[in-house]
């Protein structure tokens, strides 16, 4: 094989049998480094980029590190919305969003099971030509995704005031087994009991599991044909090995990924684009990347369909186009605004019960930004500012869920702009950059709310959460449910007598109850993800991952502050149980003061940290599906209301049926020492026990931060710096 070969059209086969399919009109150069034994590809679209490992193999992080331009300045370069952007947003509001608000669901496609290329091209209006692509053929029209489970689809259709297509129903109830059908075929009696009693809530057994971030940037950087060629090489790598179930599953999954990539090309062609080749301009880079994401949300309705870490990647293309003289700042902002508009109108067909669990209709298109690289350079770029500017140009919105990786070392101009936009829109989430970077590297992003992962190299088996607070009440009542009175967990001795509760006795019983609860929970998760891989595999998202990836099992707990405060009350005050006529403990009389979690008091905070550690140790002791790495989150940002409704009263004073505090927050009203004290309490939870993330939600009235905007910005930055400072 020659050192350099020019390819215009056709197929190139190297000495290892790897095929590269080239599109018409594409010129690329393929050379061979005899020493490395690897192939180097140099597409014409890469002109002007610094080379590195990324042009030898798929390595988007390396491309970014070698080509991006950190920005240390202020926000004064930003542009407002263009007239086209405002017209498009107004059309959406008048014709679609306002109508949706009147009836919850704007429309449902009843005839077409969703897939990457199932629908014809759709547009918002004639002005919709900057970044194009809709989930279906009409804005806000929701698609059926019955591979997860037909019952949820049919319920959602009827709740939208429509009747299901009987032929489609027949297919997915008679001929095509769904993920949900398989799960309930395997569920054990104890899982069903735990599920029905709500000690485990929100399991992904009837919808897409989510927590998978496709590396959508790969579509823009490499083009789909190159990605297909790499997947084919991965598929054939073990072709001559002896048969095994793992070998067969890997080859089948990669085959499905290749089919998805071909469907992605077909979908893009309906909009008039050839994404078989790499993107050549900034506008194409954003469009190609969005097509990758669009293919994913057309084919999966995961609990979180996050977008990844995009700003630095996009910024490289913007800067190259600025240098070429083919792009203005106004046009760059218009492109980002147009992309964010598309992210704001993603919709999935879900039930009212689902909306109650997740407090609305979120899908968590999380866009992670900010932070630092491992080389010490900030990853803040001008496009990091442009993303925040969309909240100014388009107004506040929950989607995309903009998440900033915060460090006190971030550029001052960026920190101030983040604070300003937070104060004005209340639409930004913050996470600790050093914690994420130290554990997951500098090309990590957040899936959902707080779950970090390496983009394109890692995915999570999402697992909802166990009600750790309800487990404490089960421990006291010997496995009887404090609401229904039913025996859910057999063979567990209750607390005896009517005298004050003894801390050591309650803690011993709580640990024993956690063995049952955690064991049941992880058993359910293993079943769910086994079935999901078989019947609702995310071929599009996984096509934009390495073929060999890290998998984590995302476990989690709800009600941490209630357990911590209740155990603190038992230990430091006097707690007497109140029983009903059957002997069931239904309430508590608590006398005396006790320390509460969230006030930077080690007595209560250490109890909270011990709970998190204990749960994690029990999780780690159980084998995981596909040898996934077990992780834990302390997270109930949305489902805290649902958990509270199904749970009784506590020694802490928490009343039956009332909402839990969100995430790792202190109990509502229990934090009396201010926001910084609550941040310090949360900081005592060991991140190694909760690598899936720890959530703290704080509400601040802007006027409490200062007398004017400048003072408010300065004080908010100070609070953030103090709360996120790295402790050596």
């Amino acid at each position: 094989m020659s050192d350099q070969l020019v390819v215009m059209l056709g197929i190139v086969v190297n000495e290892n049998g790897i095929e590269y399919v080239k599109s018409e009109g594409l010129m690329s150069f393929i050379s061979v480094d005899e020493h490395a034994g690897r192939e180097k590809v140099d597409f014409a679209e890469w002109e002007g980029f610094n080379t590195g490992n990324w042009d030898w193999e798929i390595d988007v992080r390396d491309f970014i590190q070698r080509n991006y331009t950190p920005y240390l300045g202020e926000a004064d370069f930003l542009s407002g919305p263009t007239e086209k952007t405002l017209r498009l947003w107004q059309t959406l509001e008048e014709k679609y969003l306002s109508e949706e608000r009147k009836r919850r669901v704007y429309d449902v496609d009843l005839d077409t099971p969703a897939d990457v290329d199932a629908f014809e091209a759709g547009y918002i209006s004639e002005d919709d030509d900057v970044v194009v692509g809709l989930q279906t053929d009409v804005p806000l029209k929701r698609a059926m995704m019955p591979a997860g489970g037909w019952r949820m689809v049919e319920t959602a259709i009827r709740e939208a005031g429509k009747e299901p297509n009987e032929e489609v129903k027949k297919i997915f109830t008679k001929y095509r087994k769904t993920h949900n059908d398989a799960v309930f075929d395997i569920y054990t009696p104890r899982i069903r009991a735990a599920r029905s009693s709500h000690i485990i809530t929100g399991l992904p057994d009837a919808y897409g599991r989510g927590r998978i971030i496709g590396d959508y940037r790969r579509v823009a950087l490499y083009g789909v044909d190159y990605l297909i060629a790499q997947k084919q090489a991965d598929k054939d790598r073990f072709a001559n090995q002896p048969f095994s179930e793992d070998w067969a599953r890997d080859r089948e999954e990669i085959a499905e990924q290749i089919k998805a990539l071909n469907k992605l090309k077909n979908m893009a062609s309906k909009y008039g684009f050839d994404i078989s080749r790499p993107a050549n301009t900034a506008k194409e880079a954003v469009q190609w990347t969005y097509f990758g994401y669009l293919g994913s949300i057309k084919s999966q309705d995961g609990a979180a369909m996050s977008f990844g870490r995009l700003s630095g990647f996009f910024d490289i293309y913007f800067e190259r186009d600025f240098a070429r003289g083919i792009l203005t700042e106004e046009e760059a902002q218009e492109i980002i605004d147009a992309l964010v508009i598309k992210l704001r109108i993603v919709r999935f067909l879900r039930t009212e019960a689902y909306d109650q669990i997740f407090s609305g209709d979120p899908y968590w298109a999380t866009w992670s930004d900010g932070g630092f690289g491992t080389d010490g350079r900030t990853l803040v770029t001008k496009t990091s500012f442009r993303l925040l500017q969309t909240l100014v140009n388009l107004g506040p919105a929950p989607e995309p869920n903009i998440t900033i990786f915060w460090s006190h070392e971030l550029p001052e101009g960026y920190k101030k702009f983040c604070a300003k936009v937070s104060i004005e829109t209340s639409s930004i989430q913050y996470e600790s950059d050093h914690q994420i970077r130290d554990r997951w590297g500098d090309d990590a992003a957040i899936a959902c709310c707080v779950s970090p992962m390496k983009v394109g190299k890692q995915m999570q088996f999402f697992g909802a959460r166990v009600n750790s607070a309800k487990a404490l009440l089960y421990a006291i009542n010997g496995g009887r449910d404090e609401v229904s009175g039913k025996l859910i967990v057999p063979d567990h001795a209750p607390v005896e007598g009517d005298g004050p509760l003894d801390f050591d006795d309650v803690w011993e019983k709580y640990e024993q109850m956690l063995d049952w609860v955690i064991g049941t929970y992880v058993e359910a998760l293993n079943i769910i993800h086994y079935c999901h891989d078989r019947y609702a595999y995310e071929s599009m998202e996984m096509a934009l991952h390495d073929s060999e990836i890290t998998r984590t099992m995302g476990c989690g707990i709800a009600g941490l502050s209630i357990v911590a405060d209740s155990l603190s009350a038992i230990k430091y005050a006097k707690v007497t149980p109140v029983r009903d006529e059957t002997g069931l403990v239904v309430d508590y009389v608590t006398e005396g003061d006790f320390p509460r979690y969230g006030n930077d008091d080690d007595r209560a905070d250490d109890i909270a940290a011990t709970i998190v550690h204990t749960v994690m140790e029990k999780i780690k002791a159980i084998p995981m599906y596909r040898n996934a790495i077990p992780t834990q989150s302390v997270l109930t940002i949305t489902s805290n209301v649902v958990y509270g409704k199904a749970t009784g009263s506590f020694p802490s004073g928490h009343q039956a049926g009332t909402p839990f505090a969100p995430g790792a927050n202190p109990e509502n009203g229990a934090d009396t020492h201010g926001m910084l004290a609550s941040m310090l309490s949360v900081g005592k939870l060991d991140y190694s026990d909760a690598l899936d993330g720890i959530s703290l939600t704080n509400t601040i009235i802007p006027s409490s931060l200062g007398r004017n905007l400048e003072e408010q910005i300065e004080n908010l930055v100070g609070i953030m710096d103090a709360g996120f400072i790295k402790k050596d």
Side-chain angles (χ1 to χ4, degrees), residues 52-53 66 70 94 172 183 217 296 371 408 410 431 458 467 470 569 571 592 649 687-688:
N53 188 64
R66 293 179 184 275
E94 293 177 354
F172 286 94
V183 167
R217 307 166 301 186
S296 296
H408 69 282
L410 284 172
E431 306 224 9
Q458 180 183 339
N467 191 332
K470 195 176 183 74
K571 185 173 185 177
S649 296
Y687 183 51
S688 63

Side-chain angles (χ1 to χ4, degrees), residues 504-574:
D504 291 335
D505 179 50
V506 171
W507 177 257
E508 181 181 3
K509 287 179 168 55
Y510 185 49
E511 275 216 73
Q512 293 170 355
M513 184 57 62
L514 284 176
D515 287 333
W516 187 93
V517 172
I518 298 301
T520 304
Y521 175 45
V522 175
E523 181 179 72
L525 297 185
N526 283 334
I527 291 169
I528 287 167
H529 295 296
Y530 166 81
C531 294
H532 205 290
D533 276 348
R534 294 190 68 191
Y535 298 101
Y537 179 66
E538 301 92 341
S539 56
M540 186 68 259
E541 290 166 274
M542 297 311 298
L544 300 174
H545 282 70
D546 293 352
S547 295
E548 295 184 20
I549 61 168
T550 299
R551 293 177 175 86
T552 61
M553 185 70 78
C555 306
I557 59 172
L560 172 64
S561 59
I562 298 174
V563 185
D565 284 358
S566 294
L567 289 171
S568 177
I570 294 169
K571 185 173 185 177
Y572 295 104
K574 178 183 176 182

Side-chain angles (χ1 to χ4, degrees), residues 324-342:
R324 289 170 168 176
I326 62 173
L327 187 72
T328 67
E329 180 56 44
E330 184 180 57
E331 291 168 335
Q333 186 65 54
E334 183 179 63
I335 292 170
I336 297 300
D337 286 346
L339 173 61
V340 167
I341 286 174
K342 290 301 190 297

